[in-house]
Amino acid sequence: MDRPIRVLVAKPGLDGHDRGAKVIARALRDAGMEVIYTGLRQTPEQIVNAAIQEDVDCIAMSILSGAHNTLLPNVVELLKAENVDDILVIGGGVIPDDDIPFLKEKGIEAVFTPGTPTSVTIDYIKNNIKRK
């Protein structure tokens, strides 16, 4: 690779808890990735615009507000509307196991729930980026 993997860590929606996002941002950074953290309360439009502007390889969204079935697929839809198909989109947070198949069907390529070692997320990103 000619440059480090670039990851946008985002918190979609209205929840105000970002400890998990900060933990994963630090772990990704420690693994040699460039990390852009958008901060709290981002709309799907803001996340997609930042991802395109920052030319990221991956969008990693952290959510625990319960709005994951709406907000995460909305990001994928907006990427498609912008003809962006080379960004890996993953999610994490308090997401019930029963909702994970729906999210994957909607284009969230992996979902990491509490207790997932950060090394699992790091390895998944390294092995699945779609860089052209």
Side-chain angles (χ1 to χ4, degrees), residues 25-53:
R26 172 65 64 108
L28 298 176
R29 194 169 296 141
D30 290 348
M33 298 181 196
E34 290 183 5
V35 178
I36 299 102
Y37 175 49
T38 61
L40 294 169
R41 300 185 182 92
Q42 298 295 299
T43 66
E45 291 83 0
Q46 289 172 314
I47 293 168
V48 168
N49 287 339
I52 292 170
Q53 189 172 33

Side-chain angles (χ1 to χ4, degrees), residues 32-121:
M33 298 181 196
E34 290 183 5
V35 178
I36 299 102
Y37 175 49
T38 61
L40 294 169
R41 300 185 182 92
Q42 298 295 299
T43 66
E45 291 83 0
Q46 289 172 314
I47 293 168
V48 168
N49 287 339
I52 292 170
Q53 189 172 33
E54 295 288 345
D55 191 26
V56 299
D57 303 298
C58 176
I59 298 173
M61 292 179 282
S62 171
I63 190 165
L64 55 100
S65 68
H68 51 271
N69 283 341
T70 301
L71 296 173
L72 302 188
N74 197 337
V75 168
V76 173
E77 292 166 13
L78 290 168
L79 287 169
K80 288 179 184 173
E82 295 290 335
N83 295 316
V84 175
D85 63 357
D86 62 346
I87 296 177
L88 177 70
V89 180
I90 63 174
V94 180
I95 297 173
D97 290 343
D98 291 346
D99 291 346
I100 293 173
F102 171 79
L103 291 170
K104 288 186 174 181
E105 179 181 304
K106 294 296 182 181
I108 308 303
E109 297 177 54
V111 177
F112 302 98
T113 54
T116 302
T118 54
S119 61
V120 172
T121 306

